[in-house]
Amino acid sequence: MHYNNRKIQFLLLSLEIIYAIFIIYVIVYLNILYKTGTEEENFLTESFLNSRCPFSTNVNSHPLHSKFFFACGKEIMFFDKMFAVLRNVVFQASIANRKLSNNSELGWRHSIQTVSSHCKSQFVDIEGLHLIDPILFWMKTVEIVESLDKREEEYERRSVGFVIARHDVSNLYHTMTQVYNVVVAQLLLNIAPTCKNNRCVGLFMDKHDEHTDLQELWDALFQEKLYQGQGHRFHFDTFIFINSGYEGYLNHLRSPELPLIAEFQRYIPSLFGICDQRKLSCSSINIRVILRQDEMMNNGTIRIRERKFYNERKMLEEIQNSLPGHNVRGVRLENYPMKTQLTFISQTDFLVGVHGAGLTFALFLPEHAGVLELFPRYRDTGNVHYRTISKWRNLYYRAWQNYRAENEFPNFHTRFPVKNIVYYIMDYLDAKCKGISGIR
């Protein structure tokens, strides 16, 4: 009996050791950044990581200005369905939850007063404007007054306030659609310099706090941010309601072009101090492959992600062996701060990825860059978000889908033939470098 007990204890101890080794392996494996070639990155230098860099643009005569329409003698402005602008506003908020028609939630009960000498009623007449939530809901709560009472002195004064109800907060594409709406408002209203000087406030009227996955983007746009659960009493010179990203131009995938895309492509990196982009060198291009991974959740469970590469390490090695002289690297972008992610992208010549939100970074690739979007057998190629972004940017773009069942493996891993990936990289080089490919 004593021998059996010792044997059981030994087995249990062995299992614990094996389990610990397995956990360590998983952590290392899921967080490793695959790279072939030298160990040190030669493009993450201080020249690309300035604290801020100058950005200026003049869009005063841009055709988009014809999209504005007005109420209350032009004291209230609407831009298409993307945002609304009020002047001389007092804002007070307290906690409350409100479900909107699009199933998003607002986290505040609030009062908004704006001064107008032209509106005939106490509230803005929004009939016929075809507004939708959340702007529709917000505009219904705006009270028109001829002047602010003496209590105005009790409110903290701010220059510009942006009201936003975030949605799909963990998805880069959908977050970027809302960020785009904010940037368009800043540019058209000529308040980008004000915001870059940290005088714009982000008021997040949603159920989320400051711990969202893509919070760094909002931190770059607004130094001062207010969330539900906090009491607020402010007087704003300019007050802007930002609509959901679904109503923004970035989500209008049938449009032949994206307005202000060149300005947006420069503006977001500039907020992170990324001022320069790589120039094409045909003899040695940077090829970056976006790797997807399962996610370890806070409760200890693992969230399974679809659309992953099968045997990605071997795949990267084979691509590198087929492209001597060029730099091939696999990156798990979500493991890095947003500033580093954008720096990687600014120095990428050819981006490869399985269909997913990470390909939204095509918005910030250099002008000469190429994109290869891969689709597993089970994914519909009719999803054209990143094809459209590449078209708007005039980037080299190709898509390839696996149709063979034998290339699909458990846990949503897909084997994409290296020869196909290399073919498109070679085609890109031939298109950009007039046949100087450097390919063996």
Side-chain angles (χ1 to χ4, degrees), residues 104-115:
S104 60
E105 292 184 10
L106 300 182
W108 291 345
R109 183 189 304 278
H110 62 272
S111 64
I112 300 172
Q113 288 186 333
T114 184
V115 176

Side-chain angles (χ1 to χ4, degrees), residues 44-300:
L44 283 181
T45 60
E46 289 301 319
S47 63
F48 291 108
L49 299 177
N50 303 317
S51 59
R52 290 253 174 170
C53 49
F55 176 88
S56 62
T57 183
N58 183 1
V59 297
N60 292 333
S61 59
H62 198 281
L64 282 182
H65 282 279
S66 64
K67 298 284 188 178
F68 278 102
F69 53 99
F70 306 92
C72 298
K74 295 189 176 182
E75 290 174 332
I76 297 176
M77 300 190 300
F78 299 88
F79 178 79
D80 217 336
K81 295 181 180 179
M82 286 174 57
F83 60 86
V85 185
L86 290 73
R87 307 289 185 182
N88 202 6
V89 170
V90 291
F91 171 84
Q92 182 169 346
S94 58
I95 306 170
N97 288 318
R98 168 69 182 267
K99 200 84 169 181
L100 299 178
S101 59
N102 61 4
N103 289 326
S104 60
E105 292 184 10
L106 300 182
W108 291 345
R109 183 189 304 278
H110 62 272
S111 64
I112 300 172
Q113 288 186 333
T114 184
V115 176
S116 173
S117 58
H118 291 85
C119 276
K120 297 180 180 180
S121 63
Q122 186 179 8
F123 297 95
V124 182
D125 183 6
I126 55 178
E127 293 295 327
L129 297 182
H130 306 292
L131 301 178
I132 65 171
D133 287 335
I135 283 186
L136 176 62
F137 170 74
W138 290 331
M139 289 304 303
K140 287 181 177 178
T141 66
V142 174
E143 181 184 0
I144 305 295
V145 295
E146 292 186 359
S147 63
L148 300 176
D149 59 30
K150 295 181 180 180
R151 290 184 303 166
E152 171 194 350
E153 299 176 357
E154 301 175 7
Y155 292 77
E156 296 182 57
R157 192 69 179 259
R158 295 291 186 273
S159 180
V160 183
F162 284 84
V163 181
I164 304 161
R166 294 166 294 174
H167 56 81
D168 304 288
V169 294
S170 297
N171 183 284
L172 179 64
Y173 171 78
H174 289 295
T175 296
M176 201 61 71
T177 61
Q178 289 192 286
V179 169
Y180 172 82
N181 290 355
V182 171
V183 172
V184 169
Q186 291 184 4
L187 295 177
L188 291 180
L189 299 173
N190 198 28
I191 56 176
T194 298
C195 292
K196 292 199 76 171
N197 290 327
N198 301 321
R199 288 186 290 168
C200 291
V201 181
L203 298 101
F204 296 103
M205 284 191 171
D206 53 52
K207 63 180 180 180
H208 306 287
D209 58 18
E210 68 273 22
H211 301 297
T212 57
D213 291 341
L214 297 168
Q215 183 64 30
E216 290 170 285
L217 286 168
W218 301 115
D219 290 344
L221 286 167
F222 309 112
Q223 184 182 48
E224 186 174 4
K225 298 164 292 293
L226 306 174
Y227 305 92
Q228 67 167 335
Q230 304 168 327
H232 313 295
R233 295 165 62 89
F234 287 108
H235 179 191
F236 291 99
D237 298 325
T238 303
F239 200 66
I240 304 167
F241 295 130
I242 297 294
N243 214 346
S244 77
Y246 301 117
E247 299 303 316
Y249 293 148
L250 186 51
N251 200 47
H252 292 183
L253 302 176
R254 295 184 179 181
S255 297
E257 61 183 23
L258 179 65
L260 298 176
I261 188 171
E263 290 80 1
F264 184 68
Q265 183 255 338
R266 297 195 308 271
Y267 186 73
I268 294 301
S270 77
L271 295 177
F272 292 87
I274 302 170
C275 311
D276 302 303
Q277 289 194 333
R278 176 178 167 84
K279 305 299 182 182
L280 178 61
S281 173
C282 293
S283 61
S284 180
I285 67 169
N286 288 334
I287 301 159
R288 300 293 172 252
V289 182
I290 298 177
L291 304 177
R292 295 170 62 88
Q293 65 183 11
D294 296 336
E295 181 181 1
M296 183 72 73
M297 308 301 288
N298 293 333
N299 60 7

Side-chain angles (χ1 to χ4, degrees), residues 33 43-44 329 333 336 340-348:
L33 186 73
F43 58 81
L44 283 181
R329 183 172 184 176
L333 289 170
Y336 290 85
T340 306
Q341 295 181 47
L342 287 166
T343 303
F344 280 143
I345 294 301
S346 72
Q347 300 304 301
T348 294

